[in-house]
Amino acid sequence: MSGEALWILAAAGLAAIVLGLAIYVAALHARMRRLAGRIEDFLSCGGRPLSFSVREDALAPLHNAAAELQDRLLTAREHERGEGRRAGALTADISHQLKTPLATLRLYCELDGGAHLDGEIAQIERMEKLIYALLRLERLCASGYDFHFAAHDAAEIARRAWQPLGRLWPDRAFSIEGTARVRCDERWLGEALGNLFKNACEHTAAGGSVRVRIEQGEASALIVVEDDGGGVDKADLPRLFERFYRAKGAETGGAGLGLAIAREVVLRHHGDMRAENGESGLRVTVTLPVLQERLTIGEE
């Protein structure tokens, strides 16, 4: 065989190797894109977890490591749900056991009368409200309620949430600016906003105002609630949404669960809530994702 033929044969062999390597790299790159897509789908919208790979190639260790992480995440989520269910059941049992003696105590107080009857009844009613609010919060944390999602006008939900509060605080002005179409459970979102409005009223003096601004964005909707009560101490801001925590200067001796319930409701809507001091008072911003009408959100 001549030297020229050998060179041609060698060049053809080298070209075949390069082509094979290019095909292999392209296939590997495509598999990596699919793997990344599967991981993102699992993390963002609860897609199916990866199954373990039995291939013997360079991508198999990465694939199996991702599958192991997903399996551990699912196990942790199930453990968290179980703990939430147990905590909710414990709270429900305690609440149930407390309701009967409280009802009996109330009856005895009413039968006995006495100079301190009104104060005794007021304290019993406060305890009953505390038990009810705590039970609701724990059931929310344990996903014990069904959420029914549909498209609603956020401004209309805010107006309805204000109506009973407007009768309790007739000397507080209320205004709404803007609107947005959000996918939500109307009743629960209304309760969350009502808790925010109530908190604003408690921190605002007579003649003050509660202002709501709603903004529609491409990816999210904002519901901003602001009062002119002067804000809260900076040390209080990180703890405002903790259960039983009450910032200084609140008007009433409430249980300190309203903001915690509001935040948990927003989390059940896959949203976020943050608090900061504005120009004249506290500003609470609720961020809700804008979800397509075709998307079906499972019940919590």
Side-chain angles (χ1 to χ4, degrees):
M1 183 177 294
S2 66
E4 183 178 356
L6 288 174
W7 275 108
I8 294 175
L9 184 59
L14 180 61
I17 292 173
V18 172
L19 179 59
L21 183 60
I23 294 173
Y24 174 78
V25 171
L28 191 63
H29 184 63
R31 284 184 58 202
M32 290 182 66
R33 286 203 309 270
R34 289 195 297 270
L35 177 61
R38 290 282 301 279
I39 294 173
E40 184 178 356
D41 182 61
F42 173 81
L43 293 175
S44 62
C45 55
R48 290 189 306 145
L50 293 168
S51 57
F52 284 87
S53 174
V54 294
R55 296 188 180 187
E56 296 184 359
D57 57 21
L59 192 59
L62 177 61
H63 181 109
N64 289 334
E68 175 68 18
L69 286 174
Q70 289 184 353
D71 184 65
R72 292 186 182 185
L73 181 58
L74 287 174
T75 301
R77 285 177 178 175
E78 185 56 36
H79 177 73
E80 183 180 3
R81 292 192 189 101
E83 290 297 318
R85 286 192 292 268
R86 283 189 286 273
L90 176 62
T91 304
D93 290 341
I94 294 173
S95 299
H96 178 73
Q97 295 300 323
L98 286 174
K99 286 178 181 178
T100 299
L102 280 174
T104 303
L105 180 60
R106 180 182 185 126
L107 177 61
Y108 285 151
C109 288
E110 292 174 344
L111 290 174
D112 293 342
H116 304 292
L117 176 62
D118 290 343
E120 293 169 349
I121 296 298
Q123 291 302 313
I124 292 173
E125 290 178 346
R126 182 184 178 190
M127 182 63 71
E128 290 173 340
K129 291 178 181 178
L130 171 60
I131 292 172
Y132 177 71
L134 181 59
L135 177 60
R136 286 171 65 79
L137 176 58
E138 290 301 328
R139 285 193 64 184
L140 274 170
C141 293
S143 299
Y145 292 105
D146 289 337
F147 276 57
H148 304 284
F149 292 86
H152 294 283
D153 185 334
E156 186 58 31
I157 293 176
R159 290 188 188 94
R160 285 198 293 268
W162 172 257
Q163 287 177 359
L165 298 173
R167 292 189 288 270
L168 292 175
W169 284 280
D171 52 3
R172 270 69 160 178
F174 180 74
S175 62
I176 298 179
E177 176 187 346
T179 188
R181 196 75 173 167
V182 296
R183 191 171 180 84
C184 65
D185 183 296
E186 181 182 16
R187 181 176 68 87
W188 278 108
L189 183 60
E191 178 170 335
L193 293 180
N195 287 346
L196 295 182
F197 299 160
K198 179 176 181 292
N199 181 75
C201 289
E202 290 175 350
H203 288 81
T204 302
S209 65
V210 178
R211 301 175 299 280
V212 180
R213 187 178 78 255
I214 303 175
E215 299 179 5
Q216 177 82 69
E218 292 185 4
S220 62
L222 300 182
I223 304 175
V224 183
V225 180
E226 188 168 6
D227 59 57
D228 55 5
V232 300
D233 191 282
K234 289 184 178 180
D236 289 326
L237 286 174
R239 303 189 60 191
L240 283 181
F241 303 127
E242 294 180 10
R243 65 190 68 192
F244 300 119
Y245 187 79
R246 288 182 53 77
K248 300 175 183 178
E251 179 185 295
T252 62
L257 291 173
L259 292 182
I261 290 175
R263 181 176 183 272
E264 195 62 34
V265 169
V266 171
L267 290 178
R268 297 278 82 78
H269 283 77
H270 314 288
D272 185 39
M273 181 185 294
R274 69 178 187 273
E276 59 188 339
N277 284 320
E279 294 182 0
S280 59
L282 184 68
R283 180 189 301 131
V284 178
T285 302
V286 175
T287 305
L288 298 174
V290 173
L291 302 173
Q292 300 298 325
E293 296 290 335
R294 61 180 177 82
L295 181 61
T296 300
I297 305 178
E299 292 181 349
E300 298 290 333

